[in-house]
Amino acid sequence: QVQLVESGGGLVQPGGSLRLSCVASGSIFSIFAMGWYRQAPGKQRELVAAIMKGGSTNVVDSVAGRFTISRDNAKNTVYLQMNSLKPEDTAVYYCNAGVVLATPGHSQEFFWGQGTQVTVSS
């Protein structure tokens, strides 16, 4: 009932930049939180950054100062600006959204996108 589509991944050199986008669509009444997670081969998925509807943000220490999360509430879109990329940033990046559904019960659920590959290599 809710779909998240990520885009913007690719191959970049160390020190380069990428901007990821995630668009949510479907039976959405409102989105109270959106975030980015990443998973490298052989490792567990980890939270990278999250943003609330009111604009407050959290970022993991390993990317603080390099990554910036933002959102456009009117477009149900979240962005992740990634600067000064390092090889250890290589991973599949997943979008996650906490959604109040546009259904009679107005239930709250979290949804995942399919992921976009980010590769940082020379």
Side-chain angles (χ1 to χ4, degrees):
Q1 65 273 53
V2 174
Q3 300 80 43
L4 305 180
V5 179
E6 302 101 331
S7 62
L11 174 64
V12 297
Q13 296 182 356
S17 298
L18 285 173
R19 184 175 178 85
L20 306 183
S21 300
C22 172
V23 181
S25 62
S27 301
I28 299 171
F29 178 78
S30 66
I31 300 176
F32 55 87
M34 300 187 80
W36 289 96
Y37 293 71
R38 67 185 182 186
Q39 187 167 23
K43 297 183 179 179
Q44 295 184 348
R45 188 173 300 186
E46 66 172 347
L47 175 69
V48 178
I51 186 167
M52 307 298 110
K53 184 177 182 179
S56 62
T57 62
N58 295 100
V59 297
V60 71
D61 289 344
S62 60
V63 306
R66 299 187 297 119
F67 292 9
T68 302
I69 189 169
S70 61
R71 66 186 291 178
D72 185 336
N73 290 332
K75 297 181 178 180
N76 289 335
T77 301
V78 63
Y79 306 93
L80 186 67
Q81 178 66 48
M82 304 185 294
N83 299 324
S84 302
L85 283 161
K86 304 175 181 179
E88 51 263 45
D89 295 319
T90 296
V92 177
Y93 283 71
Y94 297 91
C95 180
N96 180 267
V99 178
V100 178
L101 298 176
T103 58
H106 289 279
S107 60
Q108 299 180 10
E109 297 185 18
F110 290 88
F111 297 89
W112 290 99
Q114 292 299 306
T116 184
Q117 177 71 49
V118 172
T119 302
V120 184
S121 176
S122 61

